[in-house]
Amino acid sequence: GGRMRNTTLCYIEKDDSYLMLHRVKKVNDENQDKWIGVGGKFEPEESPEDCLLREVKEETGLVLTDYRYRGIVTFVSNEWGTEYMHLFTADGFEGEMKTCDEGELVWVPKSEIEHLNIWEGDKIFFQLLIESDRFFSLKLRYEGDKLVDSKISRY
């Protein structure tokens, strides 16, 4: 597929847990029943930060006050085309959490994340987030649900 898209993904942190979204509400969801962070597709003229703030507000009701751009993940897939995912973590926010249309929002202890139903490649960037403060570029190649190749560059 010649389709390319830009998305954001944010892991909001509190008490050594991440806010995770269990995708159980949408029909034809490529993330069906997977646990992912919060985020979504860029709208026209948005920067990564614009998209981050809008998507977090839309999906959780929270307004981020402190966040960091941690890396970019290039997903190449024989089914979904190519996606550039701009990855953020955030540990400052205000507002009241609301119910999300796309799934259940749950605070999950970082130590338990790897036991959830998450994409294989996501385990790689969780590790990168934990082990280093350096910005990274991670390329993941999928065939269907299977991760067939990964390449990490650190900056």
Side-chain angles (χ1 to χ4, degrees):
R3 202 160 61 100
M4 298 192 303
R5 54 192 173 149
N6 278 284
T7 62
T8 51
L9 187 70
C10 185
Y11 292 111
I12 302 173
E13 303 181 61
K14 183 182 77 169
D15 305 329
D16 219 34
S17 296
Y18 282 129
L19 185 60
M20 298 293 288
L21 179 57
H22 190 200
R23 297 289 288 252
V24 287
K25 296 187 181 174
K26 264 170 82 172
V27 182
N28 291 332
D29 186 349
E30 61 198 75
N31 290 300
Q32 181 64 37
D33 205 37
K34 291 278 199 303
W35 292 77
I36 59 173
V38 176
K41 298 181 187 70
F42 282 42
E43 290 186 348
E45 300 186 17
E46 282 189 328
S47 68
E49 293 78 8
D50 293 338
C51 178
L52 166 77
L53 294 169
R54 178 184 52 77
E55 284 283 352
V56 167
K57 180 87 169 62
E58 285 177 6
E59 292 195 346
T60 69
L62 301 174
V63 176
L64 296 183
T65 56
D66 196 9
Y67 51 87
R68 288 181 51 214
Y69 192 1
R70 303 293 299 275
I72 184 158
V73 183
T74 304
F75 290 100
V76 181
S77 156
N78 61 335
E79 290 181 14
W80 303 103
T82 299
E83 176 178 340
Y84 301 102
M85 191 181 76
H86 304 259
L87 185 61
F88 290 82
T89 52
D91 58 9
F93 53 87
E94 52 195 32
E96 287 294 308
M97 203 150 84
K98 66 178 185 103
T99 306
C100 180
D101 299 340
E102 308 200 346
E104 315 265 348
L105 290 166
V106 185
W107 291 102
V108 180
K110 290 180 186 178
S111 58
E112 288 175 24
I113 300 267
E114 61 184 328
H115 304 302
L116 299 175
N117 179 18
I118 62 177
W119 290 99
E120 209 177 331
D122 293 18
K123 295 177 184 177
I124 299 174
F125 52 78
F126 273 116
Q127 201 52 48
L128 289 169
L129 290 175
I130 290 164
E131 74 189 26
S132 170
D133 277 343
R134 288 167 68 188
F135 190 86
F136 62 85
S137 176
L138 172 64
K139 183 174 184 180
L140 300 173
R141 183 181 295 278
Y142 279 92
E143 288 174 9
D145 271 2
K146 187 171 156 45
L147 182 66
V148 291
D149 192 37
S150 63
K151 182 177 179 208
I152 301 166
S153 308
R154 291 182 181 79
Y155 296 93

